[in-house]
Amino acid sequence: MQLEKLTFGVGDRFAHQAAAQLRAFQQAADSGVDVVPVWNKSNREHQFVGSEPASVKAAAQVAVNDLGWSKSWYVDADHIQRSTVDPYLNCSDFFTIDVADFIGNAIDEEAITRFVDAHGELIGELNLPGMQAAYSVDREFVTRVARQYLGACQAAGDIYRYIADAKGEDNFIAEVSMDETDSPQTPPELMVILAALADQKIRLQTIAPKFTGRFNKGVDYVGDVQQFDREFNEDLAVIAEAIRRYQLPENLKLSVHSGSDKFSIYPVIREAIQNKNIGIHVKTAGTTWLEELIGLSEAGGDGLELAKEIYAYSLGHIDELCSPYASVIDIDPSALPSVDEVNGWDGPKLASTLRHIPHDPQFNPNVRQLLHVAFKVAAKAGDRYLDLLKANEAIVGEQVTQNLFDRHMKPLFIG
């Protein structure tokens, strides 16, 4: 199983928007660009809303059948570890192996020495096409990086082999994720990591490092875009070299996690992949849930009323809702409107506050981030929320499709 060049992760918290999402991929194809959908939902999200992993594939399959989609599509076991992978084995063909929890774990010093001794090619000057300047890499540096990441790479190998034993090595896509950690990986660190993953015999098709800057949920990139540009292009150079050195899969590509709504870096990504004629995996997710809220707000009536109730509850339980996502949100509580103020808004006002159009004076990124992590509040509403999605399917679906195609796929892949 070989992952295609351009792949784009989409999440669907409540399994109602797969068709609306797929229409965006159809629009991209009509525009001359083939982008492959990868439906994803993490174990944490399943637990929050009370769903099962198989529901993701089931919803996607219905959409594929109903819309006559004849091209590739995948279902991602998102951010899995050994303890959580079993329920995904029969319903997923893309596995994001998350080893961030193993970064920095103690590892036998003899294993580190064996790794460094076996990889003398890592020591010296790292100066590849596409790099602005050379990096000087000595044995001490490689040892330090191995001490930090070798345990995580070994954990990735253990999980990979477990999946391969269950499914067969030819029957799934493997991604390794190291993005949910405190410190970004530099290009020379990425080279050491790729050498260690190659030692584990992982058929690695995408790698998700942590980049410099903040990738907060559902809002734009926060950081130095020029620095990201340099880092992104140098990581691409490292991957190309690692493929050559370590016989990693030729289609190995970068994966950008929490990639939704990172509008300011989309031109950087598009220019890099077009100039180099290479692929990318961009993982977005929760914006679909926000588009549902936007659609319900626009619909007015009971939909608007429930959206306001969800905001009121979220504001009253902000710490509880935000604590699991503390590393990927940045909310200024003083910029959140009061419940009374929001209760006085009409549907278009609430929709404009949530819809991510950065230059719209009504857009409030703090409200958007708070409601981004509040999807389990809608889950508590149960059938009331789901029935409103069904009753307002057309307007909600329009928001979902427009958001994915106009604000994501076009700037990323078309321009």
Side-chain angles (χ1 to χ4, degrees):
M1 187 172 287
Q2 182 167 318
L3 193 62
E4 286 79 4
K5 185 176 179 180
L6 302 177
T7 51
F8 191 83
V10 285
D12 189 5
R13 300 282 200 259
F14 300 101
H16 276 62
Q17 305 307 326
Q21 292 168 330
L22 191 54
R23 289 189 189 98
F25 292 87
Q26 290 180 319
Q27 290 181 8
D30 291 342
S31 299
V33 179
D34 285 329
V35 185
V36 175
V38 181
W39 276 279
N40 58 63
K41 192 171 182 180
S42 70
N43 185 68
R44 177 171 60 185
E45 290 158 1
H46 281 297
Q47 291 178 333
F48 281 164
V49 304
S51 56
E52 297 294 332
S55 64
V56 178
K57 182 176 181 179
Q61 186 70 69
V62 169
V64 166
N65 293 344
D66 287 350
L67 297 184
W69 181 259
S70 59
K71 301 179 181 182
S72 296
W73 57 283
Y74 300 94
V75 176
D76 180 6
D78 186 17
H79 286 289
I80 55 91
Q81 297 180 348
R82 175 62 186 84
S83 60
T84 57
V85 69
D86 282 348
Y88 297 87
L89 292 172
N90 292 327
C91 55
S92 298
D93 48 14
F94 187 121
F95 288 80
T96 298
I97 301 170
D98 187 343
V99 292
D101 288 348
F102 298 91
I103 295 174
N105 282 7
I107 187 168
D108 183 70
E109 286 295 319
E110 290 185 4
I112 295 172
T113 299
R114 285 195 300 271
F115 173 81
V116 178
D117 288 344
H119 287 286
E121 80 285 349
L122 292 170
I123 298 171
E125 188 176 82
L126 182 64
N127 189 11
L128 303 173
M131 287 187 164
Q132 293 185 18
Y135 292 90
S136 179
V137 178
D138 58 17
R139 183 181 178 90
E140 182 182 354
F141 174 87
V142 177
T143 301
R144 177 174 60 78
V145 177
R147 186 173 290 116
Q148 182 77 355
Y149 291 102
L150 194 56
C153 293
Q154 291 176 348
D158 291 342
I159 300 167
Y160 175 83
R161 286 184 287 274
Y162 184 82
I163 299 168
D165 287 345
K167 296 185 71 70
E169 202 169 23
D170 294 332
N171 298 319
F172 69 100
I173 305 296
E175 171 175 291
V176 171
S177 165
M178 294 189 175
D179 66 300
E180 294 195 353
T181 186
D182 292 334
S183 300
Q185 294 96 33
T186 65
E189 286 175 332
L190 181 61
M191 183 67 83
V192 177
I193 290 167
L194 289 172
L197 292 173
D199 284 353
Q200 294 295 317
K201 308 300 182 186
I202 299 172
R203 292 187 188 174
L204 184 67
Q205 297 196 47
T206 84
I207 178 77
K210 180 177 177 62
F211 297 99
T212 301
R214 287 188 64 90
F215 286 72
N216 292 331
K217 293 285 187 180
V219 292
D220 204 354
Y221 172 77
V222 180
D224 185 333
V225 174
Q226 288 186 330
Q227 182 179 6
F228 174 84
D229 189 350
R230 173 178 176 172
E231 193 172 292
F232 185 81
N233 279 279
E234 291 188 342
D235 281 352
L236 294 177
V238 166
I239 286 176
E241 177 64 14
I243 291 170
R244 185 191 67 81
R245 283 187 188 179
Y246 305 120
Q247 290 75 57
L248 289 164
E250 291 187 0
N251 67 325
L252 172 61
K253 59 186 179 179
L254 276 177
S255 179
V256 180
H257 280 206
S258 293
S260 60
D261 298 79
K262 303 302 177 283
F263 301 145
S264 62
I265 62 172
Y266 284 177
V268 169
I269 295 173
R270 184 183 71 247
E271 181 179 7
I273 63 175
Q274 289 180 351
N275 287 347
K276 295 175 174 63
N277 192 27
I278 57 174
I280 188 74
H281 180 57
V282 178
K283 178 170 290 189
T284 185
T287 53
T288 290
W289 138 250
L290 290 174
E291 298 310 312
E292 289 178 339
L293 275 186
I294 290 168
L296 293 180
S297 299
E298 292 278 17
D302 291 341
L304 175 59
E305 183 62 30
L306 180 56
K308 290 179 178 180
E309 289 177 24
I310 290 172
Y311 178 75
Y313 184 94
S314 302
L315 190 61
H317 296 78
I318 184 170
D319 292 338
E320 169 195 337
L321 293 171
C322 292
S323 60
Y325 297 95
S327 65
V328 286
I329 56 175
D330 190 8
I331 296 173
D332 176 4
S334 68
L336 294 169
S338 69
V339 172
D340 287 343
E341 182 180 352
V342 172
N343 283 340
W345 291 352
D346 60 13
K349 167 65 173 174
L350 181 52
S352 295
T353 301
L354 278 177
R355 187 179 290 114
H356 194 180
I357 299 178
H359 302 299
D360 185 336
Q362 295 191 80
F363 170 60
N364 187 325
N366 301 283
V367 174
R368 182 173 173 84
Q369 288 180 89
L370 175 59
L371 288 178
H372 190 294
V373 301
F375 58 92
K376 63 181 178 181
V377 182
K380 290 180 181 179
D383 288 343
R384 181 185 173 200
Y385 181 74
L386 299 180
D387 288 346
L388 282 168
L389 290 183
K390 295 173 186 175
N392 298 283
E393 179 180 357
I395 191 169
V396 171
E398 180 183 3
Q399 304 303 316
V400 172
T401 303
Q402 184 182 57
N403 172 59
L404 286 176
F405 181 67
D406 288 343
R407 290 193 282 277
H408 289 79
M409 294 182 185
K410 283 177 72 174
L412 267 167
F413 306 125
I414 300 169

